[in-house]
Amino acid sequence: MSVRVRSHTCGCVPMSYELCEAAGLAFIRRTVRSSASTHVSESPWLQRAAAIKLWTALLEGWAR
C-alpha cells in the first residue's frame, strides 16, 4: 500500500508534521530532527474526516 502525503508543515525546522493518506484512511506523522538522530512517530490510522479534524486542531494549536 502506498502512502500519500496530502499536506505538510515546513521541514526546515526541527519538528515537522505530515498529513498522510492511504486506502481511505489517514494519519499524522511527526518527525523530530536533532544533530544526534531523527525520531518519527505516527498517530493512529483514522477515518479521513477525523484525521483532517485532528490536522486542523494541530495547526491551530489545539491538539496535544
Side-chain angles (χ1 to χ4, degrees):
M1 170 182 357
S2 78
V3 174
R4 182 175 192 177
V5 176
R6 302 295 289 173
S7 188
H8 59 86
T9 61
C10 182
C12 63
V13 294
M15 187 181 311
S16 61
Y17 296 90
E18 297 173 322
L19 174 61
C20 304
E21 283 186 14
L25 298 174
F27 63 93
I28 296 172
R29 178 183 295 144
R30 178 178 72 176
T31 304
V32 180
R33 292 177 189 83
S34 69
S35 59
S37 66
T38 299
H39 179 75
V40 177
S41 57
E42 298 177 348
S43 73
W45 287 69
L46 304 167
Q47 295 293 323
R48 186 175 184 274
I52 291 172
K53 187 175 178 180
L54 178 59
W55 178 252
T56 301
L58 176 74
L59 294 179
E60 293 178 350
W62 293 101
R64 294 191 183 254

